[in-house]
Amino acid sequence: MPAKSQAQQKAAGAALSAKRGQTRKSELKGASKSMYDSMSEKQLEEFAETDRKNLPKKKTKH
């Protein structure tokens, strides 16, 4: 499932980096911290690889 916003894509990238041991889990904040805990590496990859070009900056609320 692709990311729905640029913010979501960035948070997934940060969480993925921590999952892979490239950054510390303690450096994560907010959405990236909860994504780290609740999503698998494969799920994070799907979100993080989404092209940001056509995404809104933030997800709109319905």
Side-chain angles (χ1 to χ4, degrees):
M1 180 164 110
K4 306 247 188 236
S5 69
Q6 290 181 11
Q8 195 177 51
Q9 189 268 345
K10 288 178 185 180
L16 180 60
S17 177
K19 276 261 193 215
R20 292 180 173 169
Q22 296 167 338
T23 58
R24 293 185 200 153
K25 182 183 174 190
S26 62
E27 294 176 14
L28 299 178
K29 298 176 187 173
S32 59
K33 193 172 194 174
S34 64
M35 287 175 134
Y36 176 90
D37 292 330
S38 65
M39 297 175 77
S40 70
E41 188 172 335
K42 182 175 170 123
Q43 290 172 315
L44 289 170
E45 283 177 1
E46 290 175 8
F47 272 74
E49 71 184 7
T50 304
D51 185 22
R52 277 192 261 169
K53 186 176 180 183
N54 297 319
L55 294 176
K57 290 195 184 282
K58 291 190 173 184
K59 185 177 168 191
T60 58
K61 294 184 179 181
H62 294 283

